[in-house]
Amino acid sequence: MDQNQHHDPSGAAHPRFRGRVLPRPEDDIEDQGLGFDVQTLLGRRTALKAFGVSALALGLAACSATGKNAESSGGSGTSAGEIPDETAGPYPGDGSNGPDVLEQSGIVRSDIRSSFGDSTTTAAGIPMTLELNLKDLANGGAAFAGVAVYIWQCDRDGNYSMYSSAIENENYLRGVQIADASGTVRYTSIFPACYSGRWPHIHFEVYPDADSITDVSKAIATSQVALPQDVCDVVYATDGYASSVRNLSQVSLDTDNVFGDDSGASQLATVTGDTAKGYSARLSVGVDTRTTPTGGSMPGGSGPGGAPGGDGAPPSGGPGGGAPPSGGPGGTLSSAPPGSNS
C-alpha cells in the first residue's frame, strides 16, 4: 500500500501528504485551502527554528512597507542584554514625586491619548503605537508574561499631564498594560515633542505584576525609549510641532544626558509609518531580576523620581511647583527644568 494512502473500514482511500489527510485530494498540494496552508507554514517554521530562522517573521517583515511615503528607521528593535536603568525624571506620576496616577481606577488601558476619571481631554498629535517586547533574562530570555508596564510621556507641546501648568488636572499619556503570553505590551499614543535639553523619548517602569504597580519601590526596571532622528524630522515638520524643530537641532543622541552613554543603541526604537496614517514604534526590553534596579532616581536624589537634592518635590518653579521655568515643560519648550533628566 502507498504510504500516503489510508483506508477506513468502508474501504475508501484518503490521500495524505506528510501524514496529513488532503482535504481536496483531486487538487495539487498548493490548492488544499487556507487551513492546510497554515499547518504547513507552522510545520516549516518549527523546522527552521533549529537554524535560528523564523520564516513567518521574515514574511511579515517583507510585507511591512505599505506605500512610497512609508518610513522605517531606528535601531534593530532587539537587545542582547538588559535594558539600561535610567532616571524616571521629575514627572513620573507614580507617587514618588507628588501625584500618583497608579492608584487611580482606569490606569490599566492600552489607549492613553485621553484623560480618564474627571476629564476626557484628548492629547493632540500624530498618532503612534508603542510595542514593547519584554524578555526575562533570568529565565534564558523567555517571554516575560504577566509583568506590568507603566509608560508616560510629554504631549505635543512638551508638557507632562499632572504636573505642567494648565494640565495639572489631566492624566493623559499615562497608562499600564500587562504583558501577554509573548511578553508584549501595546499602547496607542501620540508622537511626543522634543523639548530643550532632551532627546525625544518615552518613559517606562516594569513591575512584577499588576498588583505591584501601586508601590514604586517594587519596580524591577526603569528606562526610556528613544525615537530615531529621521522620523522626528518628518513629524516635527507638521502642524503643532514647530518648537520641536529648534529643540531637536540643539541636542543629539550622543550628547543627551540619558542616551549619551551609547548613543541610544540599546534604547532606540524601530519606527515605521508616515504622518498620514501614524507610526508604530517597537523595542525589545531585556529585564534581569537578578540585578538590583538602579534607575528611577534623579541625579542627587534619594529615591525614585526625586528632584535634584532628593527632597522629592518638583524642581523649584517647575510643573507642580509654582510657575514653570521659562520655556520648560509647562512653559513654551525652550528649556528643560534646571538639572533635570526628564
Side-chain angles (χ1 to χ4, degrees):
M1 182 188 305
D2 189 330
Q3 63 178 354
N4 284 328
Q5 300 289 321
H6 174 73
H7 291 273
D8 63 21
S10 67
H14 296 282
R16 292 173 175 266
F17 176 74
R18 296 182 180 175
R20 289 183 290 132
V21 174
L22 296 176
R24 301 173 182 172
E26 70 280 2
D27 294 331
D28 294 334
I29 295 299
E30 61 269 21
D31 297 323
Q32 296 301 308
L34 178 61
F36 189 87
D37 292 343
V38 169
Q39 292 180 32
T40 301
L41 178 59
L42 293 176
R44 290 173 178 171
R45 186 174 66 171
T46 300
L48 286 170
K49 280 183 178 178
F51 301 95
V53 178
S54 172
L56 184 58
L58 290 174
L60 291 174
C63 298
S64 62
T66 58
K68 292 188 294 183
N69 293 327
E71 298 150 15
S72 177
S73 185
S76 65
T78 61
S79 175
E82 187 175 16
I83 194 78
D85 281 325
E86 305 290 6
T87 174
Y91 318 115
D94 59 9
S96 64
N97 194 29
D100 189 354
V101 74
L102 299 179
E103 294 277 2
Q104 299 179 19
S105 175
I107 188 60
V108 179
R109 60 201 186 126
S110 60
D111 190 334
I112 66 172
R113 291 174 294 181
S114 298
S115 291
F116 61 93
D118 295 332
S119 174
T120 57
T121 301
T122 299
I126 298 294
M128 183 181 74
T129 61
L130 174 65
E131 179 178 298
L132 301 178
N133 302 112
L134 285 297
K135 306 297 183 184
D136 183 0
L137 300 184
N139 191 28
F144 216 157
V147 294
V149 183
Y150 166 49
I151 75 166
W152 71 98
Q153 64 173 83
C154 71
D155 62 16
R156 186 176 66 177
D157 298 317
N159 298 323
Y160 284 87
S161 66
M162 306 181 75
Y163 291 89
S164 297
S165 177
I167 58 171
E168 297 97 333
N169 295 324
E170 304 294 347
N171 53 23
Y172 55 56
L173 304 183
R174 300 177 183 272
V176 172
Q177 279 285 280
I178 311 303
D180 62 18
S182 65
T184 301
V185 291
R186 298 178 182 87
Y187 308 85
T188 301
S189 186
I190 64 165
F191 205 95
C194 176
Y195 51 85
S196 183
R198 279 306 319 275
W199 189 262
H201 62 282
I202 299 171
H203 294 267
F204 67 92
E205 293 173 338
V206 183
Y207 292 84
D209 49 49
D211 292 336
S212 301
I213 64 173
T214 56
D215 185 351
V216 68
S217 68
K218 293 183 178 179
I220 55 178
T222 302
S223 196
Q224 300 182 24
V225 180
L227 299 172
Q229 181 171 355
D230 57 349
V231 177
C232 291
D233 287 338
V234 174
V235 172
Y236 295 159
T238 64
D239 291 343
Y241 287 95
S243 297
S244 291
V245 175
R246 179 183 66 254
N247 294 327
L248 187 65
S249 70
Q250 298 171 345
V251 68
S252 71
L253 281 167
D254 293 332
T255 60
D256 185 73
N257 56 13
V258 170
F259 303 124
D261 290 344
D262 62 357
S263 299
S266 56
Q267 294 157 277
L268 188 62
T270 296
V271 180
T272 58
D274 56 47
T275 57
K277 297 180 180 179
Y279 291 88
S280 295
R282 296 178 177 85
L283 182 69
S284 182
V285 177
V287 178
D288 195 339
T289 55
R290 297 167 297 186
T291 62
T292 301
T294 59
S297 297
M298 287 288 295
S302 59
D311 60 6
S316 177
S326 175
T332 62
L333 283 185
S334 64
S335 65
S340 77
N341 282 0
S342 56

